[in-house]
Amino acid sequence: MHTTSGHWRLGLALSLLTVFLWGILPIALAMALQVLDVYTVIWFRFLVSFVVLAIYLGGRGKLPSPSQLRSTSWVLLAIATFFLALNYLFFMQGLALTSPANAEVIIQLAPLLMGVGGLILFKERYVLLQWIGISILTVGLILFFHEQLKNLLTTQGNYLVGSGLVVVGAITWSIYALAQKQLLQSLSSPCIMLVIYGGCTLFFTPFANPETILTLSFWHFITLLFCAFNTLIAYGAFAESLEHWEASRVSAVLALAPIVTLIAVWVVSVLSPKLIPLESLTLLGIIGAVLVVLGSVTIALGKSTKK
């Protein structure tokens, strides 16, 4: 099984960068989906990520060699590629039917599932303080999104269907993430992401409509380009964080993403109310946000051990 480098500060910094980028991503995606279909947005994000990363690695002479690829588990690569592609599809379809904040809270099932997988597969173990942190984080998420959770129980139709699709997306992402961590035994994180980006690009090519991109306005194209580079940088930072830190700790830090999303939604709605409707936040929701932060920090910085 893969073991971390022990550079936890670097792992924490990369995890926080991932949180910020993933926190603001749903807003940009919601704007892109106003003018493009789901498949074209996903295809473009993977294509740009693959091309830019290939140029970067090629320029530094760090493209994966044939011997490295032969020594890699292609079964694990196929699993990681397939389930990341499914994650993008289900999350985007769900986002199109719900709202950025709602999609972001439900997708938090993904890092929690990854954390559980880290405990089981990689023999990571939480101490008592970290289990308390999980309890605090769970209560915080429930309070923080109590209005959205209430909607899930009372709303029928597209909103409920979209929420269900995001749940499936969370499950597929956790499978991808655990496969990605194990692949670090034989390939560097950039090389792994290069292969995955290339595979996902091929997967979505038959369903994409590239010609519609040429009809976009300047600002919509900039938004789409931002989504693509967000993919490249965020997943690069996430993949590298797993090299230096336990999967269970990385998953705890990722739970902060909904707070970034809500703050970003508020900023955008104030600057341009027509783009994104403002998400209401009560006192109970604010308390929940504080608990989410406290719980995540407790899990991430607590001293964990190996079984």
Side-chain angles (χ1 to χ4, degrees):
M1 288 294 170
H2 172 262
T3 56
T4 64
S5 69
H7 299 151
W8 69 268
R9 291 181 180 84
L10 179 57
L12 173 59
L14 291 168
S15 300
L16 290 174
L17 175 60
T18 304
V19 163
F20 173 74
L21 292 174
W22 282 352
I24 60 178
L25 179 61
I27 299 173
L29 290 176
M31 294 169 61
L33 288 174
Q34 295 173 358
V35 292
L36 289 174
D37 64 277
V38 168
Y39 298 102
T40 302
V41 174
I42 296 174
W43 171 81
F44 184 82
R45 292 170 65 193
F46 280 128
L47 176 64
V48 171
S49 298
F50 173 75
V51 171
V52 174
L53 185 56
I55 293 173
Y56 172 76
L57 292 178
R60 301 188 64 185
K62 292 187 176 181
L63 287 170
S65 65
S67 61
Q68 286 178 311
L69 294 176
R70 282 194 298 268
S71 65
T72 300
S73 170
W74 282 94
V75 173
L76 275 178
L77 269 175
I79 291 173
T81 301
F82 179 69
F83 280 97
L84 183 62
L86 289 182
N87 163 258
Y88 271 55
L89 178 60
F90 286 121
F91 180 78
M92 291 283 291
Q93 292 281 16
L95 177 63
L97 298 175
T98 58
S99 67
N102 183 68
E104 192 61 39
V105 64
I106 298 175
I107 204 65
Q108 290 313 298
L109 287 171
L112 289 178
L113 290 172
M114 185 187 81
V116 172
L119 296 175
I120 297 173
L121 297 178
F122 299 108
K123 309 303 181 184
E124 300 169 6
R125 185 170 62 187
Y126 284 155
V127 296
L128 177 60
L129 182 62
Q130 289 174 301
W131 284 113
I132 294 174
I134 284 183
S135 302
I136 295 173
L137 185 148
T138 303
V139 172
L141 284 174
I142 293 173
L143 294 178
F144 186 50
F145 289 104
H146 66 283
E147 291 299 329
Q148 281 82 358
L149 293 173
K150 187 189 302 181
N151 287 336
L152 290 180
L153 297 176
T154 59
T155 305
Q156 301 296 323
N158 289 343
Y159 196 88
L160 190 58
V161 171
S163 299
L165 290 173
V166 178
V167 170
V168 178
I171 296 172
T172 58
W173 186 88
S174 66
I175 297 173
Y176 144 77
L178 293 170
Q180 154 85 39
K181 182 170 179 61
Q182 185 62 17
L183 283 166
L184 289 168
Q185 281 190 312
S186 53
L187 280 176
S188 67
S189 56
C191 290
I192 295 170
M193 297 313 302
L194 180 68
V195 176
I196 292 176
Y197 290 150
C200 289
T201 301
L202 293 175
F203 183 85
F204 284 104
T205 295
F207 310 103
N209 297 298
E211 64 277 4
T212 58
I213 297 176
L214 301 176
T215 66
L216 295 179
S217 67
F218 173 77
W219 288 113
H220 277 122
F221 180 75
I222 292 298
T223 301
L224 181 63
L225 203 60
F226 169 79
C227 292
F229 277 94
N230 186 297
T231 297
L232 176 66
I233 299 171
Y235 268 92
F238 166 71
E240 188 65 20
S241 71
L242 293 175
E243 178 70 35
H244 304 291
W245 221 16
E246 293 93 340
S248 53
R249 294 193 182 195
V250 173
S251 69
V253 177
L254 296 184
L256 298 173
I259 297 177
V260 177
T261 300
L262 198 70
I263 294 173
V265 167
W266 178 80
V267 172
V268 172
S269 63
V270 169
L271 297 177
S272 183
K274 294 182 179 180
L275 287 179
I276 299 290
L278 179 63
E279 297 276 354
S280 60
L281 186 62
T282 63
L283 177 60
L284 199 59
I286 295 174
I287 295 174
V290 174
L291 292 178
V292 168
V293 175
L294 180 61
S296 295
V297 171
T298 301
I299 298 169
L301 300 184
K303 182 181 179 181
S304 62
T305 60
K306 290 280 186 176
K307 288 183 180 179

